[in-house]
């Protein structure tokens, strides 16, 4: 759902030419975890790096004000191709990661305007931006906010460096010279959609810090959902899916399993965790989505581990494997555990804290997924969407582990503010 035609500031950007069968499909997303007040971006420009899973002939940018009780004015937004996508992960100081490929900075408009107001607890979807968006590439999404009005909706554990400019609007800058400060979170940018006529749809991964990529190299895109996207990218078009990572570190909503087990207050009743999973499955099915469950991974050696909590994990995993509640199951536990001591992570897959896998473990998790299970022959998903509409999205439900401290996740009435006559493909939370 994300996309070469730059409109001058204040001008109305034309709709990009659509080919028969084109659909908006998400290429990247971030599940926001909180409203941050620790970084005041007033009068400066935030430049976020986001990594695409599939490509397209146009893009749309989604902005979120979900955790703010005040409306937020977004004064100027641009999108560009990153000139040095490897610089951050390889530490090449001479090539700044926030520099744009010359000629690729595109103005992002909302109902034809450079400036947009996002209401409290709402999202704004941009007009289409005609640009060639390559798959497996880094985009620079720059947001200038003249005045930050309340908490900035944020995703804490980005595992990706974002850049903050000196004072002023530098959203259109190709150079990185003004981006002098860094922060390891994403702000405001909720997702990127692309116009794509070949991909089948998208996989949404739900989870916690393991899904979020805790411990992976910053800027490497070696979270297990990224590595799954690498596999799917080589599939033929009828089986090609984008991957949207909706993991949140610290997530604890009677869904993520070990967060509910190992964090205070401990939840040692497996039936309550199972009930939470059943509710998510029911909601996903009601939306016409396919649901794939993942078992909880080992955590012996982690500070909160006890034999009683291990018994809870085992009971939940047994239900995931045998209940038939899911369209398919991925046995992440069997993939990363030590066969000689199955309560622990295999040492080769242990990041060192005995809870989170390392990059080798994330790679093993991605490799353990049967790609055919993401589509399935007896899916509960609805038939493919009509031309120009969103295709149904399979959901990959990860129920993996999490690190302390937890993040408090509060429900909000979340309204969407679609721009122009472009369908957003999102349903507000009631």
């Amino acid at each position: 759902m994300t996309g070469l035609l730059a409109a001058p500031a204040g001008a109305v950007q034309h709709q990009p030419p659509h080919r028969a069968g084109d659909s908006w499909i998400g290429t990247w997303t971030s599940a926001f975890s909180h409203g941050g007040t620790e970084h005041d971006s007033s009068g400066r420009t935030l430049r976020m790096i986001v990594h695409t899973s599939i490509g397209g002939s146009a893009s749309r940018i989604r902005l979120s004000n979900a955790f703010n009780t005040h409306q937020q004015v977004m004064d100027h937004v641009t999108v560009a191709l990153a000139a040095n996508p490897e610089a951050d992960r390889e530490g090449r100081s001479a090539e700044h990661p926030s520099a744009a490929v010359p000629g690729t900075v595109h103005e992002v408009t909302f109902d034809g305007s450079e400036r947009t107001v996002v209401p409290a607890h709402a999202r704004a979807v941009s007009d289409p931006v005609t640009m060639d968006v390559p798959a497996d590439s880094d985009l620079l999404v720059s947001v200038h906010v003249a005045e930050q009005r309340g908490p900035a909706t944020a995703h804490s554990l980005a595992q990706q460096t974002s850049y903050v400019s000196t004072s002023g609007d530098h959203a259109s800058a190709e150079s990185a010279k003004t981006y002098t400060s860094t922060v390891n979170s994403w702000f405001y940018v909720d997702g990127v959609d692309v116009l794509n006529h070949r991909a089948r749809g998208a996989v949404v991964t739900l989870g916690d810090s393991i899904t979020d990529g805790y411990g992976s190299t910053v800027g490497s895109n070696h979270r297990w959902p990224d590595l799954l996207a690498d596999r799917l990218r080589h599939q033929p078009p009828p089986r090609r899916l984008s991957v949207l990572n909706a993991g949140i570190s610290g997530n604890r909503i009677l869904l993520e399993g070990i967060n509910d087990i190992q964090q205070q207050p401990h939840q040692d009743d497996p039936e309550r965790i199972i009930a939470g999973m059943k509710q998510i499955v029911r909601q996903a099915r009601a939306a016409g989505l396919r649901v794939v469950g993942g078992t909880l991974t080992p955590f012996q050696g982690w500070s909160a581990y006890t034999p009683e909590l291990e018994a809870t994990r085992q009971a939940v995993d047994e239900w995931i494997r045998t209940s038939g509640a899911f369209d398919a199951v991925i046995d992440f536990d069997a993939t990363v555990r030590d066969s000689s001591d199955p309560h622990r992570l295999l040492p080769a897959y242990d990041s060192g804290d005995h809870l989170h896998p390392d990059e080798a473990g994330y790679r093993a998790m991605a490799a353990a997924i049967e790609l055919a299970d993401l589509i399935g022959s007896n899916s509960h998903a609805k038939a493919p969407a009509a031309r120009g509409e969103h295709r149904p999205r399979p959901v990959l439900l990860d129920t993996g582990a999490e690190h302390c401290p937890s993040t408090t996740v509060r429900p909000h009435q979340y309204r969407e503010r679609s721009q122009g006559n472009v369908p957003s493909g999102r349903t507000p939370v009631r």
Side-chain angles (χ1 to χ4, degrees), residues 47-96:
R47 178 160 283 184
M48 272 88 42
I49 299 175
V50 304
H51 192 75
T52 64
S53 57
I54 62 170
S57 59
S59 71
R60 296 190 314 198
I61 307 301
R62 290 184 274 118
L63 302 177
S64 176
N65 194 34
F67 286 90
N68 196 348
T69 58
H70 306 280
Q71 68 179 23
Q72 178 62 58
V73 179
M74 309 294 184
D75 294 274
H76 189 193
V77 182
T78 64
V79 61
L81 298 181
N84 306 304
E86 307 293 329
D88 192 22
R89 71 199 73 164
E90 296 182 4
R92 301 203 305 258
S93 57
E95 299 176 352
H96 202 287

Side-chain angles (χ1 to χ4, degrees), residues 1 21-25 194-197 385-391:
M1 310 186 279
D22 278 350
S23 292
W24 290 104
I25 302 176
V194 292
L195 198 62
N196 184 299
H197 73 291
R387 288 180 176 181
E389 297 178 358
H390 282 279
R391 297 179 177 88

Side-chain angles (χ1 to χ4, degrees), residues 49-52 80-82 85 89 136-140 160 221:
I49 299 175
V50 304
H51 192 75
T52 64
L81 298 181
R89 71 199 73 164
D136 192 26
S137 65
D138 285 352
L139 298 180
L140 307 176
Q160 175 67 66
N221 299 301

Side-chain angles (χ1 to χ4, degrees), residues 86-133:
E86 307 293 329
D88 192 22
R89 71 199 73 164
E90 296 182 4
R92 301 203 305 258
S93 57
E95 299 176 352
H96 202 287
S98 69
V101 173
T104 69
V105 177
H106 299 285
E107 300 294 325
V108 176
T109 61
F110 300 80
D111 282 339
S113 175
E114 176 183 286
R115 181 177 179 270
T116 190
V117 179
V118 187
H121 310 317
R123 168 196 289 139
V125 183
S126 79
D127 303 325
V129 180
T130 301
M131 62 182 294
D132 182 22
V133 181

Side-chain angles (χ1 to χ4, degrees), residues 160-415:
Q160 175 67 66
T161 305
S162 297
Y163 295 85
V164 186
S165 76
T166 55
S167 180
D169 180 359
H170 302 282
S172 297
E174 293 178 348
S175 168
K177 291 180 180 178
T178 58
Y179 289 95
T180 56
S181 302
T182 62
V183 62
N184 294 318
S185 299
W186 287 305
F187 298 93
Y188 301 123
V189 183
D190 177 71
V192 181
D193 304 340
V194 292
L195 198 62
N196 184 299
H197 73 291
R198 292 174 65 83
R200 181 185 181 102
V203 175
V204 180
T205 63
L206 306 181
D208 40 39
S209 64
I210 284 183
T211 303
D212 220 2
Y214 179 86
S216 62
T217 303
V218 172
S220 68
N221 299 301
H222 285 169
R223 312 165 190 87
W224 72 257
D226 299 319
L227 300 168
L228 172 61
D230 290 343
R231 295 182 62 202
L232 288 166
R233 196 173 302 116
H234 300 293
Q235 295 294 297
R239 306 184 72 83
R240 191 174 301 155
L241 300 164
S242 71
V243 177
L244 304 176
N245 189 344
I248 302 175
S249 285
N251 211 0
R252 179 175 177 162
I253 51 173
L254 273 179
L255 165 64
E256 313 308 348
I258 282 183
N259 269 7
D260 298 288
I261 295 170
Q262 63 89 16
Q263 290 180 353
Q264 293 283 359
H266 298 303
Q267 178 52 255
D268 56 6
D269 182 358
E271 293 304 319
R272 292 198 61 190
I273 298 170
I274 290 167
M277 293 181 182
K278 287 179 177 178
Q279 182 180 24
I280 296 297
V281 172
R282 283 195 299 268
Q283 292 175 349
R285 291 266 174 75
L289 304 179
R290 179 172 175 79
V291 187
V292 180
T295 53
L296 281 60
T297 51
F299 72 116
Q300 186 176 6
W302 176 251
S303 58
Y305 178 89
T306 66
E308 293 76 18
L309 296 179
E310 173 65 12
T312 302
R313 182 184 77 90
Q314 295 285 354
V316 174
D317 276 356
E318 180 66 15
W319 177 83
I320 292 171
R321 293 184 182 106
T322 63
S323 67
F326 300 97
D327 294 292
V329 170
I330 307 159
D331 202 338
F332 287 142
D333 170 49
T335 299
V336 301
R337 71 190 180 200
D338 187 342
S339 59
S340 64
D341 187 357
H343 307 305
R344 292 181 176 271
L345 290 169
L346 185 71
Y349 294 159
D350 192 338
S351 66
D353 65 10
H354 312 304
L355 178 67
H356 299 92
D358 58 12
E359 289 188 2
Y362 289 144
R363 192 169 298 279
M365 291 172 68
I369 298 167
E370 292 288 343
L371 300 186
D373 286 343
L374 303 180
I375 298 172
S377 57
N378 297 311
S379 174
H380 291 260
K382 299 173 182 176
R387 288 180 176 181
E389 297 178 358
H390 282 279
R391 297 179 177 88
R393 299 185 304 274
V395 169
L396 177 61
L397 175 60
D398 164 40
T399 55
E402 180 48 48
H403 73 288
C404 289
S406 65
T407 297
T408 301
V409 181
R410 299 180 178 88
H412 286 276
Q413 290 297 104
Y414 193 42
R415 304 191 306 276

